[in-house]
Amino acid sequence: MFDVAVFGSLFLTLFVIMDPPGITPIFLALTAGRPGKVQKRMAFQAVCVAGGVITVFGLLGHQILNYLHVSVPALMIAGGLLLLLIALDLLTGKTDEPKQTKDVNVALVPLGMPLLAGPGAIVSVILAVQKAHSVATQVSVWAAILAIHVVLWLVMRYSLVIIRIIKDGGVVLVTRLAGMMLSAIAVQQIINGVTQVIQGS
């Protein structure tokens, strides 16, 4: 009642797309300045939000997109634009302002959605669920989804140790680096969406 090949394939795909190691500096940058307990809670909240979004789209993805008359490339472009705005804030230091860091729950946006549960992960899950015709493959797909979210939580939860080592100056450096990486991810996502639009026309 379990397909190891399906599990491994989807887990690796989601690992590359959701990128647990790559999310660490972004998580540290967006949650900098908050108490440790709050950061741990936000790591858990981000994973729960991502898991909820992924689950909803896994079960009802095609129906949702069809009802809204939204194509997958449009979803990718929109997510890329949102990430780009956040990346610009990180690069320019606007997230250092109290109103930016203290009053907004970044565990919901952008961490949970669209950083973790981005268009790439959503589309991968929609396709994987669609192709899972037997009970064994269905179990394997959902097991892979659960496993990657556990990995994401563990990575963010224990990345907080890094903060004690790098101190405030290191956090600023990580913030700028995270902004650069996030902007590159956003631009690539927009390019992928535009490319699919052109190929489909």
Side-chain angles (χ1 to χ4, degrees):
M1 295 295 291
F2 191 82
D3 192 322
V4 176
V6 171
F7 173 88
S9 176
L10 182 58
F11 180 83
L12 289 176
T13 299
L14 292 177
F15 189 91
V16 171
I17 293 173
M18 301 176 88
D19 192 14
I23 201 66
T24 301
I26 299 173
F27 172 75
L28 292 175
L30 291 174
T31 61
R34 293 179 170 85
K37 289 184 178 179
V38 174
Q39 290 175 314
K40 292 174 184 176
R41 186 175 71 245
M42 293 180 78
F44 182 73
Q45 289 175 336
V47 171
C48 287
V49 169
V53 171
I54 290 291
T55 299
V56 169
F57 275 93
L59 296 173
L60 305 170
H62 278 292
Q63 294 90 327
I64 293 173
L65 294 181
N66 290 337
Y67 178 78
L68 297 174
H69 303 289
V70 173
S71 66
V72 171
L75 186 65
M76 296 178 69
I77 295 171
L81 290 173
L82 178 57
L83 289 181
L84 187 58
L85 290 174
I86 296 160
L88 292 176
D89 280 347
L90 291 175
L91 284 170
T92 56
K94 289 183 179 180
T95 53
D96 294 335
E97 300 172 11
K99 288 183 180 179
Q100 293 287 341
T101 58
K102 307 299 183 185
D103 300 335
V104 178
N105 189 355
V106 295
L108 306 180
V109 176
L111 277 175
M113 173 82 182
L115 272 176
L116 297 181
I122 289 173
V123 172
S124 297
V125 169
I126 290 175
L127 294 177
V129 172
Q130 185 180 18
K131 294 176 182 177
H133 299 299
S134 67
V135 174
T137 52
Q138 284 282 354
V139 170
S140 303
V141 165
W142 291 106
I145 294 171
L146 177 61
I148 191 63
H149 283 84
V150 171
V151 170
L152 285 166
W153 175 74
L154 289 173
V155 168
M156 290 191 290
R157 167 69 172 74
Y158 291 102
S159 67
L160 300 177
V161 178
I162 299 174
I163 294 179
R164 302 192 190 105
I165 300 173
I166 64 177
K167 306 297 182 184
D168 291 341
V171 170
V172 173
L173 177 61
V174 167
T175 300
R176 300 299 181 266
L177 290 174
M180 290 180 60
M181 290 189 295
L182 193 56
S183 61
I185 292 171
V187 170
Q188 185 62 56
Q189 193 163 288
I190 294 171
I191 291 173
N192 292 343
V194 172
T195 300
Q196 289 192 24
V197 170
I198 295 174
Q199 290 176 345
S201 62

PDB file of all heavy atoms in Angstrom, residues 42-69:
ATOM      1  N   MET A  42       6.383  31.104  14.655  1.00  0.00           N
ATOM      2  CA  MET A  42       6.207  31.520  13.262  1.00  0.00           C
ATOM      3  C   MET A  42       6.695  30.445  12.298  1.00  0.00           C
ATOM      4  O   MET A  42       6.131  30.277  11.216  1.00  0.00           O
ATOM      5  CB  MET A  42       6.929  32.849  13.013  1.00  0.00           C
ATOM      6  CG  MET A  42       6.310  34.008  13.771  1.00  0.00           C
ATOM      7  SD  MET A  42       7.165  35.564  13.489  1.00  0.00           S
ATOM      8  CE  MET A  42       6.509  36.000  11.885  1.00  0.00           C
ATOM      9  N   ALA A  43       7.740  29.714  12.677  1.00  0.00           N
ATOM     10  CA  ALA A  43       8.211  28.601  11.836  1.00  0.00           C
ATOM     11  C   ALA A  43       7.109  27.561  11.707  1.00  0.00           C
ATOM     12  O   ALA A  43       6.835  27.057  10.608  1.00  0.00           O
ATOM     13  CB  ALA A  43       9.470  27.986  12.446  1.00  0.00           C
ATOM     14  N   PHE A  44       6.462  27.251  12.836  1.00  0.00           N
ATOM     15  CA  PHE A  44       5.373  26.274  12.821  1.00  0.00           C
ATOM     16  C   PHE A  44       4.178  26.799  12.036  1.00  0.00           C
ATOM     17  O   PHE A  44       3.567  26.065  11.244  1.00  0.00           O
ATOM     18  CB  PHE A  44       4.963  25.945  14.260  1.00  0.00           C
ATOM     19  CG  PHE A  44       3.867  24.909  14.358  1.00  0.00           C
ATOM     20  CD1 PHE A  44       4.135  23.577  14.084  1.00  0.00           C
ATOM     21  CD2 PHE A  44       2.579  25.274  14.700  1.00  0.00           C
ATOM     22  CE1 PHE A  44       3.135  22.619  14.162  1.00  0.00           C
ATOM     23  CE2 PHE A  44       1.567  24.328  14.791  1.00  0.00           C
ATOM     24  CZ  PHE A  44       1.849  22.993  14.516  1.00  0.00           C
ATOM     25  N   GLN A  45       3.840  28.082  12.229  1.00  0.00           N
ATOM     26  CA  GLN A  45       2.712  28.681  11.514  1.00  0.00           C
ATOM     27  C   GLN A  45       2.945  28.682  10.013  1.00  0.00           C
ATOM     28  O   GLN A  45       2.031  28.390   9.238  1.00  0.00           O
ATOM     29  CB  GLN A  45       2.471  30.108  12.008  1.00  0.00           C
ATOM     30  CG  GLN A  45       1.899  30.202  13.401  1.00  0.00           C
ATOM     31  CD  GLN A  45       1.787  31.644  13.883  1.00  0.00           C
ATOM     32  OE1 GLN A  45       2.498  32.529  13.420  1.00  0.00           O
ATOM     33  NE2 GLN A  45       0.874  31.872  14.817  1.00  0.00           N
ATOM     34  N   ALA A  46       4.173  29.009   9.596  1.00  0.00           N
ATOM     35  CA  ALA A  46       4.493  29.057   8.170  1.00  0.00           C
ATOM     36  C   ALA A  46       4.303  27.687   7.525  1.00  0.00           C
ATOM     37  O   ALA A  46       3.742  27.572   6.428  1.00  0.00           O
ATOM     38  CB  ALA A  46       5.927  29.547   7.964  1.00  0.00           C
ATOM     39  N   VAL A  47       4.761  26.648   8.217  1.00  0.00           N
ATOM     40  CA  VAL A  47       4.626  25.294   7.691  1.00  0.00           C
ATOM     41  C   VAL A  47       3.154  24.886   7.642  1.00  0.00           C
ATOM     42  O   VAL A  47       2.707  24.238   6.683  1.00  0.00           O
ATOM     43  CB  VAL A  47       5.446  24.298   8.541  1.00  0.00           C
ATOM     44  CG1 VAL A  47       5.143  22.869   8.149  1.00  0.00           C
ATOM     45  CG2 VAL A  47       6.934  24.570   8.374  1.00  0.00           C
ATOM     46  N   CYS A  48       2.388  25.271   8.670  1.00  0.00           N
ATOM     47  CA  CYS A  48       0.958  24.941   8.687  1.00  0.00           C
ATOM     48  C   CYS A  48       0.220  25.644   7.549  1.00  0.00           C
ATOM     49  O   CYS A  48      -0.638  25.043   6.885  1.00  0.00           O
ATOM     50  CB  CYS A  48       0.344  25.338  10.029  1.00  0.00           C
ATOM     51  SG  CYS A  48       0.822  24.261  11.392  1.00  0.00           S
ATOM     52  N   VAL A  49       0.548  26.920   7.319  1.00  0.00           N
ATOM     53  CA  VAL A  49      -0.085  27.663   6.229  1.00  0.00           C
ATOM     54  C   VAL A  49       0.261  27.027   4.890  1.00  0.00           C
ATOM     55  O   VAL A  49      -0.616  26.795   4.046  1.00  0.00           O
ATOM     56  CB  VAL A  49       0.369  29.147   6.245  1.00  0.00           C
ATOM     57  CG1 VAL A  49      -0.067  29.855   4.966  1.00  0.00           C
ATOM     58  CG2 VAL A  49      -0.207  29.859   7.457  1.00  0.00           C
ATOM     59  N   ALA A  50       1.552  26.731   4.701  1.00  0.00           N
ATOM     60  CA  ALA A  50       1.982  26.094   3.450  1.00  0.00           C
ATOM     61  C   ALA A  50       1.297  24.750   3.263  1.00  0.00           C
ATOM     62  O   ALA A  50       0.811  24.435   2.172  1.00  0.00           O
ATOM     63  CB  ALA A  50       3.500  25.921   3.445  1.00  0.00           C
ATOM     64  N   GLY A  51       1.239  23.964   4.337  1.00  0.00           N
ATOM     65  CA  GLY A  51       0.588  22.660   4.251  1.00  0.00           C
ATOM     66  C   GLY A  51      -0.888  22.767   3.927  1.00  0.00           C
ATOM     67  O   GLY A  51      -1.419  21.986   3.139  1.00  0.00           O
ATOM     68  N   GLY A  52      -1.543  23.760   4.526  1.00  0.00           N
ATOM     69  CA  GLY A  52      -2.965  23.964   4.255  1.00  0.00           C
ATOM     70  C   GLY A  52      -3.220  24.348   2.808  1.00  0.00           C
ATOM     71  O   GLY A  52      -4.127  23.816   2.156  1.00  0.00           O
ATOM     72  N   VAL A  53      -2.400  25.273   2.300  1.00  0.00           N
ATOM     73  CA  VAL A  53      -2.553  25.719   0.908  1.00  0.00           C
ATOM     74  C   VAL A  53      -2.290  24.575  -0.056  1.00  0.00           C
ATOM     75  O   VAL A  53      -3.052  24.350  -1.010  1.00  0.00           O
ATOM     76  CB  VAL A  53      -1.602  26.903   0.615  1.00  0.00           C
ATOM     77  CG1 VAL A  53      -1.598  27.235  -0.877  1.00  0.00           C
ATOM     78  CG2 VAL A  53      -2.011  28.129   1.427  1.00  0.00           C
ATOM     79  N   ILE A  54      -1.196  23.837   0.196  1.00  0.00           N
ATOM     80  CA  ILE A  54      -0.840  22.708  -0.666  1.00  0.00           C
ATOM     81  C   ILE A  54      -1.944  21.651  -0.654  1.00  0.00           C
ATOM     82  O   ILE A  54      -2.307  21.096  -1.701  1.00  0.00           O
ATOM     83  CB  ILE A  54       0.496  22.080  -0.206  1.00  0.00           C
ATOM     84  CG1 ILE A  54       1.665  23.018  -0.491  1.00  0.00           C
ATOM     85  CG2 ILE A  54       0.719  20.735  -0.879  1.00  0.00           C
ATOM     86  CD1 ILE A  54       2.003  23.221  -1.930  1.00  0.00           C
ATOM     87  N   THR A  55      -2.501  21.379   0.524  1.00  0.00           N
ATOM     88  CA  THR A  55      -3.558  20.372   0.647  1.00  0.00           C
ATOM     89  C   THR A  55      -4.807  20.787  -0.127  1.00  0.00           C
ATOM     90  O   THR A  55      -5.403  19.981  -0.858  1.00  0.00           O
ATOM     91  CB  THR A  55      -3.919  20.140   2.128  1.00  0.00           C
ATOM     92  OG1 THR A  55      -2.754  19.663   2.827  1.00  0.00           O
ATOM     93  CG2 THR A  55      -5.037  19.122   2.257  1.00  0.00           C
ATOM     94  N   VAL A  56      -5.205  22.047   0.038  1.00  0.00           N
ATOM     95  CA  VAL A  56      -6.400  22.545  -0.660  1.00  0.00           C
ATOM     96  C   VAL A  56      -6.225  22.443  -2.173  1.00  0.00           C
ATOM     97  O   VAL A  56      -7.115  21.960  -2.889  1.00  0.00           O
ATOM     98  CB  VAL A  56      -6.703  23.994  -0.254  1.00  0.00           C
ATOM     99  CG1 VAL A  56      -7.776  24.596  -1.165  1.00  0.00           C
ATOM    100  CG2 VAL A  56      -7.171  24.054   1.194  1.00  0.00           C
ATOM    101  N   PHE A  57      -5.057  22.867  -2.661  1.00  0.00           N
ATOM    102  CA  PHE A  57      -4.838  22.816  -4.105  1.00  0.00           C
ATOM    103  C   PHE A  57      -4.633  21.382  -4.590  1.00  0.00           C
ATOM    104  O   PHE A  57      -4.964  21.062  -5.734  1.00  0.00           O
ATOM    105  CB  PHE A  57      -3.645  23.696  -4.502  1.00  0.00           C
ATOM    106  CG  PHE A  57      -4.009  25.133  -4.712  1.00  0.00           C
ATOM    107  CD1 PHE A  57      -3.904  26.038  -3.675  1.00  0.00           C
ATOM    108  CD2 PHE A  57      -4.485  25.576  -5.931  1.00  0.00           C
ATOM    109  CE1 PHE A  57      -4.243  27.369  -3.848  1.00  0.00           C
ATOM    110  CE2 PHE A  57      -4.839  26.896  -6.127  1.00  0.00           C
ATOM    111  CZ  PHE A  57      -4.717  27.802  -5.082  1.00  0.00           C
ATOM    112  N   GLY A  58      -4.089  20.523  -3.724  1.00  0.00           N
ATOM    113  CA  GLY A  58      -3.953  19.124  -4.097  1.00  0.00           C
ATOM    114  C   GLY A  58      -5.305  18.469  -4.298  1.00  0.00           C
ATOM    115  O   GLY A  58      -5.485  17.641  -5.196  1.00  0.00           O
ATOM    116  N   LEU A  59      -6.265  18.839  -3.461  1.00  0.00           N
ATOM    117  CA  LEU A  59      -7.605  18.250  -3.543  1.00  0.00           C
ATOM    118  C   LEU A  59      -8.496  18.952  -4.553  1.00  0.00           C
ATOM    119  O   LEU A  59      -9.284  18.312  -5.256  1.00  0.00           O
ATOM    120  CB  LEU A  59      -8.269  18.304  -2.162  1.00  0.00           C
ATOM    121  CG  LEU A  59      -7.606  17.473  -1.045  1.00  0.00           C
ATOM    122  CD1 LEU A  59      -8.263  17.765   0.290  1.00  0.00           C
ATOM    123  CD2 LEU A  59      -7.676  15.985  -1.368  1.00  0.00           C
ATOM    124  N   LEU A  60      -8.383  20.289  -4.631  1.00  0.00           N
ATOM    125  CA  LEU A  60      -9.332  21.069  -5.445  1.00  0.00           C
ATOM    126  C   LEU A  60      -8.654  22.006  -6.432  1.00  0.00           C
ATOM    127  O   LEU A  60      -9.285  22.957  -6.905  1.00  0.00           O
ATOM    128  CB  LEU A  60     -10.249  21.896  -4.516  1.00  0.00           C
ATOM    129  CG  LEU A  60     -11.011  21.121  -3.437  1.00  0.00           C
ATOM    130  CD1 LEU A  60     -11.653  22.083  -2.458  1.00  0.00           C
ATOM    131  CD2 LEU A  60     -12.061  20.224  -4.073  1.00  0.00           C
ATOM    132  N   GLY A  61      -7.381  21.747  -6.722  1.00  0.00           N
ATOM    133  CA  GLY A  61      -6.606  22.666  -7.548  1.00  0.00           C
ATOM    134  C   GLY A  61      -7.224  23.012  -8.889  1.00  0.00           C
ATOM    135  O   GLY A  61      -7.407  24.179  -9.233  1.00  0.00           O
ATOM    136  N   HIS A  62      -7.560  21.991  -9.661  1.00  0.00           N
ATOM    137  CA  HIS A  62      -8.109  22.229 -10.996  1.00  0.00           C
ATOM    138  C   HIS A  62      -9.440  22.972 -10.923  1.00  0.00           C
ATOM    139  O   HIS A  62      -9.700  23.887 -11.712  1.00  0.00           O
ATOM    140  CB  HIS A  62      -8.290  20.902 -11.744  1.00  0.00           C
ATOM    141  CG  HIS A  62      -7.040  20.397 -12.377  1.00  0.00           C
ATOM    142  ND1 HIS A  62      -6.439  21.039 -13.436  1.00  0.00           N
ATOM    143  CD2 HIS A  62      -6.260  19.321 -12.091  1.00  0.00           C
ATOM    144  CE1 HIS A  62      -5.351  20.377 -13.796  1.00  0.00           C
ATOM    145  NE2 HIS A  62      -5.219  19.336 -12.985  1.00  0.00           N
ATOM    146  N   GLN A  63     -10.270  22.585  -9.977  1.00  0.00           N
ATOM    147  CA  GLN A  63     -11.577  23.244  -9.847  1.00  0.00           C
ATOM    148  C   GLN A  63     -11.427  24.713  -9.482  1.00  0.00           C
ATOM    149  O   GLN A  63     -12.134  25.580 -10.012  1.00  0.00           O
ATOM    150  CB  GLN A  63     -12.417  22.526  -8.769  1.00  0.00           C
ATOM    151  CG  GLN A  63     -12.810  21.099  -9.144  1.00  0.00           C
ATOM    152  CD  GLN A  63     -11.793  20.063  -8.710  1.00  0.00           C
ATOM    153  OE1 GLN A  63     -10.602  20.341  -8.698  1.00  0.00           O
ATOM    154  NE2 GLN A  63     -12.271  18.875  -8.361  1.00  0.00           N
ATOM    155  N   ILE A  64     -10.477  25.010  -8.576  1.00  0.00           N
ATOM    156  CA  ILE A  64     -10.262  26.396  -8.151  1.00  0.00           C
ATOM    157  C   ILE A  64      -9.772  27.254  -9.312  1.00  0.00           C
ATOM    158  O   ILE A  64     -10.291  28.348  -9.569  1.00  0.00           O
ATOM    159  CB  ILE A  64      -9.260  26.453  -6.980  1.00  0.00           C
ATOM    160  CG1 ILE A  64      -9.864  25.808  -5.733  1.00  0.00           C
ATOM    161  CG2 ILE A  64      -8.859  27.899  -6.681  1.00  0.00           C
ATOM    162  CD1 ILE A  64      -8.889  25.660  -4.576  1.00  0.00           C
ATOM    163  N   LEU A  65      -8.751  26.767 -10.014  1.00  0.00           N
ATOM    164  CA  LEU A  65      -8.188  27.541 -11.125  1.00  0.00           C
ATOM    165  C   LEU A  65      -9.208  27.716 -12.254  1.00  0.00           C
ATOM    166  O   LEU A  65      -9.312  28.797 -12.839  1.00  0.00           O
ATOM    167  CB  LEU A  65      -6.918  26.863 -11.650  1.00  0.00           C
ATOM    168  CG  LEU A  65      -5.729  26.820 -10.686  1.00  0.00           C
ATOM    169  CD1 LEU A  65      -4.533  26.150 -11.336  1.00  0.00           C
ATOM    170  CD2 LEU A  65      -5.354  28.215 -10.215  1.00  0.00           C
ATOM    171  N   ASN A  66      -9.961  26.663 -12.550  1.00  0.00           N
ATOM    172  CA  ASN A  66     -10.971  26.763 -13.602  1.00  0.00           C
ATOM    173  C   ASN A  66     -12.092  27.724 -13.217  1.00  0.00           C
ATOM    174  O   ASN A  66     -12.572  28.505 -14.051  1.00  0.00           O
ATOM    175  CB  ASN A  66     -11.563  25.377 -13.910  1.00  0.00           C
ATOM    176  CG  ASN A  66     -10.568  24.470 -14.607  1.00  0.00           C
ATOM    177  OD1 ASN A  66      -9.629  24.937 -15.238  1.00  0.00           O
ATOM    178  ND2 ASN A  66     -10.759  23.164 -14.478  1.00  0.00           N
ATOM    179  N   TYR A  67     -12.510  27.675 -11.960  1.00  0.00           N
ATOM    180  CA  TYR A  67     -13.588  28.552 -11.490  1.00  0.00           C
ATOM    181  C   TYR A  67     -13.173  30.021 -11.570  1.00  0.00           C
ATOM    182  O   TYR A  67     -13.977  30.892 -11.936  1.00  0.00           O
ATOM    183  CB  TYR A  67     -13.960  28.195 -10.054  1.00  0.00           C
ATOM    184  CG  TYR A  67     -15.027  29.084  -9.466  1.00  0.00           C
ATOM    185  CD1 TYR A  67     -16.368  28.910  -9.802  1.00  0.00           C
ATOM    186  CD2 TYR A  67     -14.695  30.110  -8.583  1.00  0.00           C
ATOM    187  CE1 TYR A  67     -17.356  29.733  -9.281  1.00  0.00           C
ATOM    188  CE2 TYR A  67     -15.663  30.930  -8.046  1.00  0.00           C
ATOM    189  CZ  TYR A  67     -17.000  30.741  -8.400  1.00  0.00           C
ATOM    190  OH  TYR A  67     -17.960  31.572  -7.876  1.00  0.00           O
ATOM    191  N   LEU A  68     -11.906  30.283 -11.237  1.00  0.00           N
ATOM    192  CA  LEU A  68     -11.402  31.665 -11.262  1.00  0.00           C
ATOM    193  C   LEU A  68     -10.902  32.075 -12.647  1.00  0.00           C
ATOM    194  O   LEU A  68     -10.501  33.226 -12.832  1.00  0.00           O
ATOM    195  CB  LEU A  68     -10.260  31.820 -10.251  1.00  0.00           C
ATOM    196  CG  LEU A  68     -10.629  31.610  -8.780  1.00  0.00           C
ATOM    197  CD1 LEU A  68      -9.375  31.659  -7.907  1.00  0.00           C
ATOM    198  CD2 LEU A  68     -11.628  32.677  -8.325  1.00  0.00           C
ATOM    199  N   HIS A  69     -10.919  31.118 -13.589  1.00  0.00           N
ATOM    200  CA  HIS A  69     -10.396  31.363 -14.942  1.00  0.00           C
ATOM    201  C   HIS A  69      -8.944  31.845 -14.890  1.00  0.00           C
ATOM    202  O   HIS A  69      -8.560  32.806 -15.565  1.00  0.00           O
ATOM    203  CB  HIS A  69     -11.267  32.388 -15.690  1.00  0.00           C
ATOM    204  CG  HIS A  69     -12.707  31.984 -15.794  1.00  0.00           C
ATOM    205  ND1 HIS A  69     -13.129  30.962 -16.594  1.00  0.00           N
ATOM    206  CD2 HIS A  69     -13.811  32.460 -15.168  1.00  0.00           C
ATOM    207  CE1 HIS A  69     -14.440  30.822 -16.485  1.00  0.00           C
ATOM    208  NE2 HIS A  69     -14.879  31.716 -15.608  1.00  0.00           N
TER     209      HIS A  69
END
